Amino acid sequence: MTIESFETSVNQIFEKVYPHIKIHKKGTLRTVIYRILDNRQAEELCQKYGIKNNASLDDDLNLSDDIIHTVSFNTQRPVKQHKALKEVGNFVNKKINRPLKNVLNHDQEDKMEFIVIAAVILIGSYFTQKYLNNRTSNTIPDVPSNQPIRTAICLAVPASAVYGLTLRQQVNRDEINRDEMIQVIESATEFLCIEAEDADKQSVHTIHQDVLPDSQLKFYIRIDIPNGQDIINAKTKYVIKRDLPQNTEGKILQLGRLRDASVLKLFNRI
């Protein structure tokens, strides 16, 4: 990304927000935040940093100056390595009444743009940190994409789509090749690709039933492959077919009528 494209993005944000704040004298920064975020997110952020709806324009400009000063000065390596530099810089910034803000003089539009830029920085920083904290606390570490992961392809299909497979199971042949898998995937009305260990924890009960080749009854089939890491959590059948490993072989673990179709509420639908 070039710096020009970033500048364009900031300008576009300002153009959308400016009509709503151009005559503001109070609560400008708070209004900007509420124009960018939904109400819940905006209130969360404003409470976190004490951003008030009755703050004067000068207060909002001071806070905006502090935000931009922190990004432009306090994050520099020499400043981070020497605490005294940071303390001096913060003292000077406040002692001479925030020079970044004072460059704006009396131009109202420039003041509003200054506040919008600070809001964008504040929003990006806060929600990036929150996202990373949630990933750390709620998810397991990512597995490298080149490490094989046993994967379950779970499908709800018309019975006619698995007619030949049910005949095969009668002679204990559970293997299924890639081309056959793609044919079944194409017929699916609901689908889910997850790690096999997660699929083992699901309560999906099937009933054995003979299948007629022209039947439209809905059947459930689970196919496990040893290396489906690239299709886990795929949201479209196209992605599954595209990223299904070329030389993979699958094994049919379940095939039959669903005893309770409510399990499909967690599946993706076409």
Side-chain angles (χ1 to χ4, degrees):
M1 182 189 77
T2 63
I3 192 62
E4 288 80 7
S5 64
F6 174 74
E7 184 179 4
T8 298
S9 297
V10 173
N11 288 339
Q12 289 173 345
I13 294 170
F14 177 68
E15 289 172 4
K16 290 182 180 296
V17 173
Y18 181 62
H20 303 279
I21 60 171
K22 60 182 179 182
I23 60 173
H24 267 222
K25 298 298 182 183
K26 289 184 179 294
T28 308
L29 180 58
R30 185 181 177 93
T31 300
V32 172
I33 292 169
Y34 268 84
R35 298 303 306 183
I36 296 174
L37 301 173
D38 64 38
N39 287 347
R40 181 186 60 80
Q41 293 174 324
E43 184 60 27
E44 177 183 328
L45 181 60
C46 288
Q47 286 188 3
K48 170 73 174 179
Y49 292 104
I51 299 170
K52 303 182 183 302
N53 59 6
N54 61 350
S56 68
L57 181 58
D58 199 55
D59 286 341
D60 282 341
L61 286 170
N62 285 342
L63 179 54
S64 298
D65 189 285
D66 289 343
I67 292 168
I68 294 173
H69 170 80
T70 297
V71 172
S72 61
F73 181 78
N74 288 353
T75 57
Q76 299 297 316
R77 183 176 296 275
V79 177
K80 291 192 292 185
Q81 290 177 338
H82 301 284
K83 185 178 179 180
L85 281 178
K86 179 178 179 179
E87 292 175 350
V88 170
N90 291 340
F91 174 78
V92 170
N93 187 53
K94 291 178 173 62
K95 188 68 175 178
I96 61 176
N97 199 22
R98 297 175 171 86
L100 289 174
K101 180 195 73 172
N102 288 336
V103 171
L104 304 172
N105 296 318
H106 301 292
D107 190 290
Q108 182 74 359
E109 185 171 336
D110 283 353
K111 291 178 180 179
M112 296 302 166
E113 186 174 21
F114 190 70
I115 291 174
V116 170
I117 292 170
V120 169
I121 294 171
L122 188 62
I123 290 168
S125 173
Y126 179 68
F127 284 101
T128 298
Q129 181 188 28
K130 185 175 179 180
Y131 169 75
L132 292 175
N133 288 344
N134 287 341
R135 284 196 64 183
T136 300
S137 60
N138 297 331
T139 65
I140 59 174
D142 292 334
V143 178
S145 60
N146 60 349
Q147 180 176 333
I149 299 176
R150 190 166 66 92
T151 303
I153 305 172
C154 307
L155 309 166
V157 299
S160 56
V162 292
Y163 172 68
L165 299 178
T166 57
L167 294 178
R168 182 189 301 180
Q169 279 202 314
Q170 293 175 10
V171 292
N172 295 321
R173 287 185 56 210
D174 293 330
E175 300 82 7
I176 180 171
N177 63 40
R178 186 179 188 275
D179 290 339
E180 292 171 322
M181 281 187 268
I182 288 178
Q183 289 179 7
V184 179
I185 292 167
E186 287 177 341
S187 302
T189 55
E190 290 94 2
F191 60 92
L192 186 66
C193 291
I194 56 178
E195 292 190 34
E197 288 185 2
D198 292 332
D200 292 339
K201 300 173 186 176
Q202 293 185 335
S203 298
V204 181
H205 302 290
T206 57
I207 305 168
H208 174 74
Q209 182 171 332
D210 292 334
V211 180
L212 299 175
D214 58 350
S215 172
Q216 291 303 308
L217 292 174
K218 186 171 290 187
F219 268 54
Y220 171 83
I221 180 171
R222 171 183 166 182
I223 303 169
D224 279 18
I225 61 175
N227 53 346
Q229 60 276 2
D230 292 332
I231 62 171
I232 291 174
N233 296 326
K235 299 302 182 184
T236 67
K237 294 194 296 184
Y238 169 76
V239 170
I240 300 173
K241 293 185 291 184
R242 182 194 66 192
D243 294 338
L244 197 65
Q246 287 297 322
N247 299 315
T248 195
E249 292 286 336
K251 183 175 182 180
I252 301 170
L253 264 66
Q254 280 182 278
L255 176 56
R257 281 288 308 280
L258 275 172
R259 180 175 296 173
D260 181 5
S262 66
V263 297
L264 298 180
K265 65 184 179 183
L266 301 176
F267 284 42
N268 300 292
R269 298 177 184 273
I270 60 170

